[in-house]
Amino acid sequence: MTSIRSFMTDDHRRCDDLFAEAEQAVAKKDFNLARASFGHFRSAVLAHFDTEEKTLFPTFEAKTGMTMGPTQVMRMEHAQMRSLLDEADASLLAGEAEDYLGQAETLLIMMQQHNMKEENILYPMCDQHLSAELSAVLERLEAELSEA
């Protein structure tokens, strides 16, 4: 059986790959492909955030009673990244490559730092505290991500 850490880390890598596709399209100045690729990336990241906020974080909080700890920090960072996603999307739609590249650089740094915290701190905590519910939680996460 897989772990929450493994499953969610794999989803981070999938999102990273989609982001790289958008970056490559911008580098080639293929803005139609860049907009489509960024749209796929944005949808995947938002689905990842949504499933964490709808299922993983509340389940962890209910089990541990920790509502103002790491899950609160992750929600605040999700809000910051949603804003950057919107700004980058608007720049691509307007054909403003330089603005997009600046926003994408900021987004990349934020995602790397955020993902590292989740993969090395929060997800292992989830695996530790949700071991009795692991199978059910993984099924819900997988179903929610596949519906997105």
Side-chain angles (χ1 to χ4, degrees):
M1 177 183 291
T2 191
S3 65
I4 290 169
R5 180 182 188 185
S6 175
F7 179 79
M8 296 302 280
T9 297
D10 286 350
D11 198 54
H12 282 166
R13 299 292 93 76
R14 183 178 68 90
C15 292
D16 291 345
D17 290 345
L18 293 169
F19 187 63
E21 289 176 18
E23 292 299 294
Q24 290 168 2
V26 170
K28 293 176 186 172
K29 300 187 186 310
D30 184 342
F31 290 101
N32 287 331
L33 180 59
R35 284 189 280 272
S37 297
F38 189 80
H40 295 140
F41 160 70
R42 185 172 184 241
S43 294
V45 168
L46 292 176
H48 184 94
F49 292 169
D50 287 347
T51 197
E52 287 179 334
E53 294 173 2
K54 198 165 58 177
T55 297
L56 185 59
F57 296 171
T59 305
F60 174 80
E61 291 165 346
K63 185 74 171 197
T64 64
M66 260 190 271
T67 59
M68 299 307 290
T71 52
Q72 183 65 16
V73 173
M74 295 303 105
R75 284 187 181 95
M76 289 187 308
E77 291 180 5
H78 288 175
Q80 293 171 331
M81 288 187 283
R82 282 184 174 103
S83 179
L84 277 169
L85 285 165
D86 290 344
E87 292 173 20
D89 190 44
S91 292
L92 270 181
L93 288 173
E96 297 168 356
E98 290 301 316
D99 289 345
Y100 170 79
L101 291 172
Q103 292 149 349
E105 178 74 21
T106 303
L107 183 60
L108 177 62
I109 292 167
M110 285 189 71
M111 284 191 313
Q112 288 174 334
Q113 293 172 347
H114 178 85
N115 291 353
M116 189 176 300
K117 287 183 246 179
E118 286 185 336
E119 293 168 11
N120 294 322
I121 299 169
L122 182 58
Y123 296 157
M125 290 173 72
C126 289
D127 281 325
Q128 179 183 2
H129 292 283
L130 302 176
S131 60
E133 303 91 341
L134 183 60
S135 180
V137 171
L138 285 171
E139 281 182 32
R140 287 178 49 201
L141 295 173
E142 188 172 5
E144 290 171 6
L145 287 174
S146 68
E147 291 170 5

